[in-house]
Amino acid sequence: MNCDVLLTNAVILTMDERFTMHRSGAVAIRGDSIIAVGPVALSYEGAETIDCQHRVVMPGLINAHTHVPMSLLRGLADDLRLDVWLMGYMMPVEREFVSPDFVRLGTRLGCAEMIRSGVTCFADMYYFEEAVAEATAEAGMRALCAQTVLRFPTPDAKSYEESLALARAFIEKWRGHALIVPGPAPHAPYTCTPDILRACAELAIEFDVPLHTHLAETVQEVEDSRRVHGMPVVPWVKKQGLLDAKVLAAHCVHVDEGEMRQLKNLNAGVAHNPTSNLKLGAGIAPVTRMRELGLHVGIGTDGPASNNDLDMFEELRLAALLAKGTTSDPTALPAREALTMATRLGACAMHMDHLTGSLEPGKRADLIIIDVDTLHNVPSFDRDPNALYARIVYASKSTDVVDVMCNGRWLMRDRQLLTLDETELRGAAQHEARRVDAFLSGRELSVLQKLVAVGGAVEQESFEVQVKARVPSDAQVLSVVRSKKVTLVRSSHYHQYDTYWSFEDPEQGWLRYREDEFLDEAGNVTNARSRLTLTGRTREEEFGAVLLFRSRYYAPATHSTRFYREYFRPSAEHVIEKDRRRWLLVYRGVEFYVHLDRLLKPASDGYFIELKSRTWSRRDAEDKAGVITELLALFGTSPDDTISDGYVDLVAGGSRR
Ligand SMILES: [Zn+2]
């Protein structure tokens, strides 16, 4: 009987369900598939026969979760918190640079690295997934390619409807491909809406393809889910119908016993990403318990921007070590189990185990040949068959991989890549890095540019005359506001928490993070909002104590103070808390905002009044400055009692000049 390739004299780890191992066996390959494994394969005559003395033949490793094109963002920003890393660096750079060409190059770079380290199959999630699929197929690797869907605009879609349509077209086109399994990727519960989760699940079910997502990665995500939805992450996504699809869920770091059982019962696969979870401080997934419950847990590297490599040998070793360390049990996750997670179980988690993951007749020929005769892997003890698994998991390195075959095609022979040009890839990747560097360096020049980059800064194109002054008591102010001298339009009351940040370069001005709590008559909080204001050195002119300011920048504050502190890295911070009564009133035909403030932190005696009016010209400003001076007198104060620029100068003990 003939076959195309016959591997002989090898130690064969089939990684099948019975963990069949052949001490000196053979593997016969015809076309894209394995046709025989073990002594029986020796009856075949190969067109190509390879002697595998001192080598191990085993299934190609399976990287169960990654974002391959992010290889181009490797090392861009490290040692940051997840939100600062993601929203502050990754997403702004992705918005600017990610295109089909970028994705294609990143995929080819990632594939080259993975082939070198013995990976034949991976689960991807990114933008322009079609470009990932094309580049992967060209490189000859197998992959689950999942098109990202998010509730906000992405590099490849202006809306989630558009990205869903993209996902549908992509799946329709690529379904049935020899190497690529297409699917939808609702990014995560916290970046999607219930509608998106449901629509993605329906799409995956309609075409019978896997669905790739992130679940329960951080404590924050779980706490938010409990607070907003009244339940943890897994039951919530189940309620949205997500788990009706064939799900591959990355992370699952913070899941409880009930959630693990739920995932198991609904046949969801889990991708364990130990390096990424450790590096981003997310925690350690309870994989030992998941495996006890029979969950299909694979191992993934996650994107190379959070790892920072795609080395599955490192990843599976870390998975084994962490399981022991966290359970104080050296018998937890033994080597054979860890290697299974990086092969057959990874394929199960990706719902692709009918194709790959073990060396069995009928499965595709996805395999690697490893040199185990290296200095760091001798001697060998043959007494215990499990010793070989331990050698692979605890001592082998990705550089020991000599040959790689996927779908019956050689991708690497004798450590030479056959489908990709490494020199060219290195050069092209460096070129991309220079462009990203230039973009980020430009942005780092100003607080405003960083504010714009993180999203939503609006320039308020207006002039404003204003003054702040001490008033001896609130009584006179209140009596004026209630008197016939002014017309009261509107009033409100709130508690304000202001965090002011300044920077090494005073030209950058002050950045203020303000949280307003609206209070009702009884002083109860009825509503809250937060926003960022960048106040530059925008003072235009002075009319006595009254100042004319021009346009400041506002942005809705969608993140925590901690996020902005870590993102903007100010050189100083001042916190001011105050009680503010606010009125909109008309005096001598001019509309004014009047603020009556009492400083609570740092505590200060007496009250402050702030008067403000919009204006459209210098001439108008001058007139209003005159009216403001009159109003100050009405409120029992005068230009002599004004304070220069604001409370922050009072507490910071200096002027911003
Ligand atoms: Zn991920």
Side-chain angles (χ1 to χ4, degrees):
M1 282 181 293
N2 295 326
C3 66
D4 295 322
V5 180
L6 186 67
L7 308 175
T8 59
N9 274 327
V11 177
I12 299 165
L13 291 184
T14 65
M15 302 311 290
D16 66 9
E17 287 199 28
R18 286 158 51 215
F19 295 100
T20 311
M21 188 192 290
H22 302 284
R23 284 280 165 197
S24 181
V27 180
I29 297 138
R30 187 186 293 146
D32 59 7
S33 298
I34 296 168
I35 50 170
V37 181
V40 61
L42 288 169
S43 58
Y44 285 86
E45 181 120 1
E48 181 188 17
T49 300
I50 296 168
D51 182 359
C52 299
Q53 185 88 49
H54 300 304
R55 308 236 151 131
V56 166
V57 175
M58 60 169 277
L61 297 175
I62 293 181
N63 184 349
H65 175 69
T66 186
H67 313 278
V68 179
M70 291 181 91
S71 59
L72 288 177
L73 304 178
R74 174 189 356 244
L76 172 71
D78 292 289
D79 305 327
L80 298 171
R81 250 178 263 271
L82 177 65
D83 54 1
V84 177
W85 177 81
L86 188 67
M87 315 279 185
Y89 289 87
M90 291 303 142
M91 287 188 165
V93 168
E94 286 177 333
R95 272 196 293 272
E96 186 74 17
F97 289 94
V98 171
S99 66
D101 283 343
F102 181 97
V103 164
R104 215 168 279 125
L105 176 60
T107 303
R108 290 167 60 226
L109 179 63
C111 285
E113 185 188 353
M114 283 193 282
I115 294 168
R116 278 217 161 284
S117 58
V119 175
T120 52
C121 177
F122 61 94
D124 191 67
M125 174 199 294
Y126 208 59
Y127 313 110
F128 298 109
E129 198 63 35
E130 172 142 32
V132 176
E134 283 166 4
T136 302
E138 269 171 39
M141 290 182 77
R142 190 179 307 286
L144 162 61
C145 292
Q147 167 68 35
T148 301
V149 186
L150 283 169
R151 72 177 140 86
F152 28 79
T154 57
D156 56 3
K158 288 189 207 69
S159 65
Y160 93 78
E161 288 91 345
E162 206 176 299
S163 53
L164 256 179
L166 259 178
R168 170 177 287 274
F170 169 61
I171 293 167
E172 272 176 345
K173 183 166 165 193
W174 286 79
R175 203 168 45 128
H177 189 276
L179 290 168
I180 306 299
V181 174
H187 176 267
Y190 62 94
T191 50
C192 291
T193 60
D195 280 353
I196 296 176
L197 298 179
R198 205 165 296 128
C200 284
E202 282 165 7
L203 186 60
I205 292 164
E206 182 183 338
F207 290 99
D208 191 31
V209 291
L211 178 151
H212 191 181
T213 190
H214 295 113
L215 286 188
E217 182 173 2
T218 63
V219 172
Q220 183 75 47
E221 180 185 344
V222 177
E223 281 176 358
D224 289 349
S225 179
R226 283 184 189 278
R227 188 167 43 77
V228 179
H229 309 302
M231 60 185 91
V233 176
V234 173
W236 190 73
V237 297
K238 178 178 183 286
K239 208 175 149 198
Q240 313 315 319
L242 192 81
L243 301 180
D244 296 341
K246 297 194 290 192
V247 167
L248 167 63
H251 305 308
C252 298
V253 176
H254 301 282
V255 288
D256 61 27
E257 176 82 13
E259 291 179 280
M260 286 187 258
R261 286 180 188 275
Q262 222 162 23
L263 289 170
K264 159 71 186 152
N265 293 340
L266 292 161
N267 199 33
V270 171
H272 175 40
N273 302 273
T275 302
S276 170
N277 296 154
L278 287 177
K279 185 159 180 276
L280 291 168
I284 299 166
V287 286
T288 308
R289 184 61 188 145
M290 287 182 192
R291 284 301 301 136
E292 280 168 6
L293 292 170
L295 258 162
H296 291 152
V297 185
I299 297 175
T301 57
D302 208 351
S306 63
N307 185 302
N308 294 357
D309 60 31
L310 295 163
D311 189 330
M312 279 294 292
F313 278 89
E314 260 183 26
E315 213 63 43
L316 76 100
R317 180 176 313 141
L318 182 59
L321 298 180
L322 271 180
K324 300 168 198 307
T326 50
T327 55
S328 304
D329 177 5
T331 69
L333 209 63
R336 192 177 82 174
E337 176 80 358
L339 197 59
T340 310
M341 286 166 64
T343 53
R344 178 166 43 83
L345 282 176
C348 292
M350 289 165 65
H351 307 272
M352 287 170 64
D353 48 311
H354 56 294
L355 295 172
T356 189
S358 55
L359 302 184
E360 295 177 72
K363 283 204 182 183
R364 298 299 105 84
D366 297 357
L367 54 86
I368 58 177
I369 305 179
I370 307 175
D371 182 0
V372 285
D373 197 27
T374 56
L375 208 56
H376 54 263
N377 221 336
V378 290
S380 68
F381 297 94
D382 299 332
R383 204 179 66 259
D384 173 5
N386 282 327
L388 185 56
Y389 296 104
R391 291 176 75 194
I392 304 278
V393 173
Y394 301 127
S396 287
K397 299 176 192 309
S398 55
T399 45
D400 300 341
V401 176
V402 183
D403 305 285
V404 175
M405 174 183 276
C406 183
N407 210 44
R409 176 187 183 193
W410 288 112
L411 307 186
M412 182 164 81
R413 281 291 277 133
D414 226 0
R415 294 195 170 88
Q416 293 298 310
L417 293 182
L418 302 178
T419 56
L420 292 155
D421 180 343
E422 276 176 76
T423 312
E424 179 226 318
L425 286 173
R426 263 200 294 269
Q430 275 305 342
H431 178 74
E432 242 5 81
R434 294 292 75 79
R435 290 177 58 219
V436 174
D437 260 347
F439 165 73
L440 282 177
S441 310
R443 189 188 76 166
E444 299 287 329
L445 289 175
S446 90
V447 174
L448 175 60
Q449 287 197 42
K450 285 189 84 170
L451 190 60
V452 171
V454 80
V458 195
E459 184 175 3
Q460 174 139 331
E461 276 293 352
S462 74
F463 288 84
E464 192 176 89
V465 283
Q466 61 161 275
V467 66
K468 271 193 184 70
R470 277 180 191 279
V471 288
S473 79
D474 60 341
Q476 189 161 347
V477 178
L478 291 171
S479 79
V480 172
V481 169
R482 288 169 191 150
S483 75
K484 291 253 152 54
K485 291 173 190 153
V486 298
T487 309
L488 180 61
V489 182
R490 200 165 63 214
S491 71
S492 50
H493 184 194
Y494 34 136
H495 199 121
Q496 292 184 329
Y497 303 86
D498 290 339
T499 304
Y500 285 89
W501 289 304
S502 59
F503 303 88
E504 220 113 277
D505 171 11
E507 289 292 327
Q508 300 295 331
W510 290 91
L511 183 66
R512 184 185 71 198
Y513 179 94
R514 167 168 288 177
E515 283 175 274
D516 286 329
E517 284 180 353
F518 296 87
L519 305 175
D520 64 12
E521 298 278 301
N524 297 316
V525 178
T526 58
N527 203 356
R529 70 168 172 196
S530 37
R531 56 190 171 145
L532 285 168
T533 308
L534 179 64
T535 313
R537 301 186 55 175
T538 52
R539 185 191 292 198
E540 289 279 304
E541 214 162 318
E542 305 181 15
F543 308 97
V546 181
L547 310 174
L548 176 64
F549 285 95
R550 190 180 63 173
S551 67
R552 296 144 155 219
Y553 296 86
Y554 292 93
T558 45
H559 305 291
S560 63
T561 37
R562 197 263 310 144
F563 172 91
Y564 292 113
R565 184 183 300 122
E566 292 178 7
Y567 175 66
F568 286 106
R569 299 185 207 172
S571 56
E573 172 173 314
H574 299 287
V575 177
I576 293 169
E577 195 182 321
K578 61 180 177 289
D579 179 87
R580 166 167 285 184
R581 310 277 316 249
R582 182 177 212 234
W583 298 281
L584 175 61
L585 50 80
V586 180
Y587 176 67
R588 285 184 43 193
V590 186
E591 216 172 48
F592 286 101
Y593 274 108
V594 176
H595 299 155
L596 177 64
D597 296 336
R598 191 160 54 87
L599 289 191
L600 304 172
K601 190 180 163 186
S604 170
D605 289 337
Y607 289 82
F608 295 89
I609 194 139
E610 187 176 76
L611 297 168
K612 284 182 170 193
S613 182
R614 287 274 171 79
T615 184
W616 307 108
S617 71
R618 239 154 257 244
R619 175 69 191 274
D620 182 36
E622 201 170 346
D623 293 346
K624 287 183 178 177
V627 185
I628 283 185
T629 311
E630 277 179 37
L631 264 174
L632 282 179
L634 269 183
F635 289 132
T637 181
S638 75
D640 295 341
D641 297 317
T642 55
I643 55 175
S644 63
D645 278 345
Y647 302 124
V648 67
D649 290 313
L650 277 183
V651 301
S655 162
R656 76 186 58 169
R657 295 223 151 189

